[in-house]
Amino acid sequence: MTLMEFFGCTFIAFGLPFALFIFTIARDPMRVIVLIASAFFWLMSLLLSSILWYAVVPLRDKLAFGLVFSVIFQECFRFLFYKTLRRADEGLLKVSLQNTSQHVTPKDFLNQHIMAYVSGLGFGVIAGAFSIINVLADMSGPGTIGIMGDSKYFFWTSAFLTLCFILLHTVWSVVFFAALDKKNYSIVACVVATHMMVSCLTLLNQRSSEEHSIVYLGSIIPSYVCLFVMTALAFNAAGGSFTNLKVAFACRKGRYEID
Amino acid sequence: MDLRRVKNEEKLVLCKKYFLAGFFILPFLWFVNSLWFFSEAFWKPPYPEQKTIRSYVIWSIVGTLVWMALIVTWVVVFQVNRASWGITGEQLSFIIPSGMA
Amino acid sequence: MSFQSQNTESYAPGGSEERTGLMSTFVEGSVSGVEGGRTRYGSVQSTEEAVNSIPEARIVDPRSETATSNRSNRNNSRQQVPDQPGSERMSREPPGGTQEEDEDEETLMYGAKHVIMLFIPVTLCMVVVVATISSITYYTAGGVYLIYTPFHDVTDDTGTKLWQSMANAVILLCVIVVMTVVLLLLYKYKCYRVINGWLVLSSIMLLFFFSFMYLEQILRAYNAPMDYITAAIIMWNFGVGGLFCIHWKGPLLLQQAYLIMVSALVALMFIKYMPDWTTWAVLGVMVIWDLVAVLCPKGPLRVLVETAQSRNEPIFRALIYSSTMMWPVTMTMADDGDAPKKKQKKKKNLKTGAQNSSLTTPLEKDMDDDDGGFTEHVANGTNRQHSLTASQDSQTARNAVQAFGDMMQDTPRTDRNLAFHTKEASTANSVSALAGGGDAEPTTRLDIDQRDGAVVPNSRSQSSARPSQAPPQRRALDSDSVNQDESDEERGVKLGLGDFIFYGVLVGKASSNGDWNTTLACFVAILIGLCCTLLLLAIFRKALPALPISLTFGLVFNFATSSLVQPFMDSLASEQVYI
């Protein structure tokens, strides 16, 4: 039972990101590197926010404090990564022009959204992994939840929220990078605001208990609504439209590639 | 080792050595041999040494299969009869599982 | 314990057959760029630039002349091997801004592919270690320690822990230093037998003894019954297979798998047999030792690498993981007899090559079929070759060949990458074009062959006996000397097994606390460190220590995560708050 739960929750949380990784990133060394680099940036942001949380002793049990600053740090590092990526672009463009065979065709850099997407996925995957991996390790047994008055939907919610955050980070990055490219700072602010909002909404999860599992819906539903809206924004930012969408569903060769 | 950069005569020697080594209770080498030289033996356009390589590969495959069959049979027999063989079974056991018959 | 890029080998003037081989690849690279069609205009042009700018500099380079003058005496050219490749290289560099810019561009082209080709084995090694550590308690249970770590009191006193672990680490470091120096001395005085015996013995121990323990522990952990007969057969096959692959000839993939497995086993042994804090101290000490050993002018590993380079032979392959690039050129070796169609083309090209006695024409001819628009570029690019190879003076031709080879070794990565997905046809064409072009100066080639014949007599003279089938330089690679066999596997990036081991130790140790966040952080940090090291490798182009950056990142992130991040993430996860 515990093992089944473990696999179920793992696949809920990481199934979709894993598919994204396999189909769009794994074949391209450059993208893999960017993915790992962005994960590293996220790690540094987490490290900074942990240091702050740890240093401010009186507020240590107030998660809201750590959360707010963590969101701010993350967005700062997203911006830093954007800067780094744009600075590296020139060099990367050269590489891509030289190494035509490497699947790093210039499109990766001419189409800025690809790298935005890759770095967003890197952010998301590492964030998701960090928030759920220990829960998953506990989940695999021995023992189960619900004995100490916790909701029995604990793991289930964690998995779905993780998935939502991984995808949210991905689309946030796309929107964020595109907005910065166009110097459209209101959209940038919107990304930061939604990140803050969704994260703060998950504070509600603290109130869940054996009887009050319904509380989870209060965080899950807005998160997924937000994900939907941000995906639409990202799709738009990357140059998508309804006509594109219709074309995309027509079968043609190589449609799993993003280009 | 990249086979594509090896001369044909040498491929033959290599394949032969692997094949002969396999007789020293080394079915794994036969297995490697059969995988490694499979495309050489069957898919490459013909060259003089190919016929010999092919026979070595075929015999390697046969050897691997025979060994596999032997080992699987032995393991099944052992696992089924381990408890009933009593002291012999225990002496043969490398790992005696705890909590199982 | 160090990276080595194939590039560094370019300072060894010997082995001109390899250079010419490289040359063929280079030309092929440019061909493939053109084949790609209009969309890849950039690539064509840039390759063009490479062709245009670099040989110019190189050919007027006095070095090629010295190389020629040394041809009668191969030993001379060996002595010419620089002590410090970097500086030597700089001095060879003709002054000029454009040249430097080219260098800069080249460095960027090191290629993400290489990074990934190291990421995969490093990841696999770490996964094996982490999976073992987290599923088998045997490797984390202490109690038994190495004799090199005599201090392992169980105390809570930080001071005692500190000095004991430092003392252990220093003792271990001394052992490692002594071993390295012994190895170096043995290598320097060419006691290959002793070295090989040593390596074989240690791999026998690893492959049989340690893996036997590993098997036992796995079976115990999963409570699976097994009999001695099956176990003996498995161990015997595993061990002998490993010896075959590591020390003799085996499929590359299997060899790599064995090397990864062996390093994971050693890492597990380190984790098991070292006291808790000593492991961390050892990791810290290794960072410094690696820096010293590889970067100091007289550092043992550096001397080792340089000696190997000057002897133009691979370093012990039982100690080095190399990610081989498969060269398409190799698929088209004439005696492979791959595709009849290719052979046909080859013949045709040989003819044209012989008729025109130049490189340019067959190349251009092939170009014409694909896209005429680019013939101009190609012609420009190859004109230089043309003017050189068409010359009847074999001396000049050889100069050109050598200079070209040198040039190639400085820019192999791009071209290798370019050549990577080349259509086979074009590969065949370019190779055969070279062969055809080579027909123009048979004297040169024979010359080269004879010169090399001094080293590997039989095969060389054989190959030079039938020069019209294939470039004999290529054929030379077929010879049965291990040296030659391996020379192509030398390309690509290499990582010492020691690096694998210590990465494994770090990640395994991080995961032994049972906190997955720490493991993950270490993993990402090590990979990023590896990335940085490879970037530096691309910039500096000499053997670099792979441990310092990765291990520093790894150690920092390990301690930071386990003490700062983990409590934060734990409280977030238990409250299900997402950031």
Side-chain angles (χ1 to χ4, degrees), chain C residues 93-264:
Chain C
E93 219 58 68
T98 50
Q99 188 67 24
E100 272 170 29
E101 271 169 34
D102 276 338
E103 293 287 300
D104 279 353
E105 271 183 37
E106 280 167 33
T107 59
L108 280 169
M109 296 159 212
Y110 195 56
K113 199 140 206 150
H114 293 259
V115 182
I116 298 303
M117 288 178 97
L118 283 185
F119 270 16
I120 295 169
V122 167
T123 309
L124 282 177
C125 181
M126 290 198 255
V127 164
V128 171
V129 173
V130 169
T132 313
I133 289 284
S134 52
S135 60
I136 300 174
T137 51
Y138 171 78
Y139 285 102
T140 43
V144 191
Y145 299 111
L146 287 177
I147 45 168
Y148 308 124
T149 56
F151 309 107
H152 39 74
D153 296 345
V154 185
T155 54
D156 285 332
D157 182 25
T158 318
T160 320
K161 264 188 200 164
L162 200 67
W163 77 258
Q164 287 199 339
S165 53
M166 280 320 287
N168 285 335
V170 168
I171 293 172
L172 205 67
L173 177 68
C174 290
V175 173
I176 289 174
V177 171
V178 168
M179 291 292 187
T180 317
V181 170
V182 168
L183 185 70
L184 175 65
L185 288 179
L186 287 177
Y187 190 66
K188 199 128 197 175
Y189 297 106
K190 303 205 172 179
C191 309
Y192 291 125
R193 284 232 173 122
V194 183
I195 296 177
N196 277 335
W198 184 4
L199 289 179
V200 168
L201 270 184
S202 46
S203 39
I204 283 176
M205 193 176 82
L206 279 169
L207 287 170
F208 288 98
F209 186 62
F210 284 3
S211 48
F212 179 72
M213 279 164 68
Y214 189 73
L215 179 70
E216 184 183 353
Q217 294 310 322
I218 287 184
L219 291 175
R220 258 188 223 297
Y222 291 101
N223 207 15
M226 186 182 264
D227 57 310
Y228 274 113
I229 298 170
T230 321
I233 290 178
I234 288 175
M235 287 318 304
W236 171 242
N237 278 280
F238 177 81
V240 175
L243 285 180
F244 263 63
C245 286
I246 296 176
H247 293 283
W248 194 56
K249 296 165 182 173
L252 181 72
L253 203 65
L254 197 65
Q255 188 193 349
Q256 290 174 337
Y258 266 111
L259 288 180
I260 292 172
M261 193 61 207
V262 161
S263 6

Side-chain angles (χ1 to χ4, degrees), chain C residues 403-426:
Chain C
F404 224 80
D406 291 349
M407 183 269 290
M408 250 323 292
Q409 288 198 328
D410 288 338
T411 54
R413 297 185 189 104
T414 351
D415 315 306
R416 197 185 313 149
N417 289 332
L418 271 174
F420 210 64
H421 292 292
T422 318
K423 284 182 194 169
E424 289 201 359
S426 79

Side-chain angles (χ1 to χ4, degrees), chain A:
Chain A
M1 174 62 200
T2 50
L3 204 64
M4 268 154 57
E5 195 165 28
F6 167 78
F7 279 113
C9 288
T10 310
F11 292 146
I12 288 172
F14 293 110
L16 194 50
F18 184 69
L20 285 176
F21 175 78
I22 291 293
F23 282 118
T24 61
I25 291 175
R27 279 188 310 154
D28 182 343
M30 206 61 211
R31 291 183 196 166
V32 177
I33 291 169
V34 171
L35 185 90
I36 292 174
S38 67
F40 187 70
F41 268 68
W42 187 88
L43 267 185
M44 293 210 282
S45 81
L46 179 70
L47 189 61
L48 273 187
S49 38
S50 305
I51 290 172
L52 186 77
W53 173 81
Y54 202 79
V56 185
V57 179
L59 291 175
R60 210 180 281 179
D61 46 356
K62 296 265 186 291
L63 276 179
F65 165 76
L67 179 131
V68 167
F69 275 92
S70 173
V71 169
I72 290 170
F73 278 128
Q74 283 179 60
E75 294 302 329
C76 286
F77 271 87
R78 205 196 295 276
F79 179 71
L80 272 182
F81 194 71
Y82 167 81
K83 277 289 173 200
T84 318
L85 210 58
R86 289 290 175 267
R87 187 152 303 165
D89 254 10
E90 239 173 273
L92 294 180
L93 193 60
K94 270 182 203 155
V95 179
S96 67
L97 284 178
Q98 305 287 349
N99 303 342
T100 38
S101 59
Q102 276 198 9
H103 194 74
V104 187
T105 38
K107 72 183 183 194
D108 268 27
F109 303 96
L110 297 180
N111 184 351
Q112 307 280 17
H113 305 293
I114 292 179
M115 279 302 150
Y117 156 78
V118 172
S119 60
L121 193 63
F123 255 65
V125 165
I126 192 79
F130 257 69
S131 40
I132 206 176
I133 197 164
N134 277 326
V135 178
L136 283 177
D138 291 341
M139 205 184 288
S140 59
T144 186
I145 44 143
I147 300 168
M148 301 296 283
D150 287 317
S151 167
K152 59 179 175 177
Y153 296 111
F154 184 94
F155 292 150
W156 191 84
T157 322
S158 289
F160 271 104
L161 275 175
T162 306
L163 172 65
C164 185
F165 266 79
I166 294 174
L167 297 179
L168 266 176
H169 270 293
T170 313
V171 291
W172 274 333
S173 273
V174 174
V175 174
F176 190 88
F177 283 28
L180 279 177
D181 276 340
K182 289 178 188 146
K183 307 214 179 305
N184 194 348
Y185 296 110
S186 58
I187 304 275
V188 176
C190 166
V191 168
V192 179
T194 39
H195 189 179
M196 191 72 84
M197 184 193 81
V198 176
S199 282
C200 287
L201 270 176
T202 56
L203 281 171
L204 279 177
N205 289 340
Q206 288 172 308
R207 297 173 173 273
S208 68
S209 67
E210 204 173 353
E211 292 86 37
H212 295 96
S213 295
I214 197 84
V215 177
Y216 284 137
L217 289 181
S219 60
I220 289 183
I221 291 175
S223 306
Y224 274 89
V225 169
C226 189
L227 173 64
F228 190 75
V229 173
M230 291 313 286
T231 311
L233 262 181
F235 187 63
N236 187 38
S241 63
F242 274 114
T243 29
N244 288 6
L245 204 58
K246 259 184 263 170
V247 174
F249 277 103
C251 272
R252 67 191 161 83
K253 199 168 164 271
R255 63 179 185 150
Y256 293 114
E257 294 175 31
I258 45 172
D259 51 17

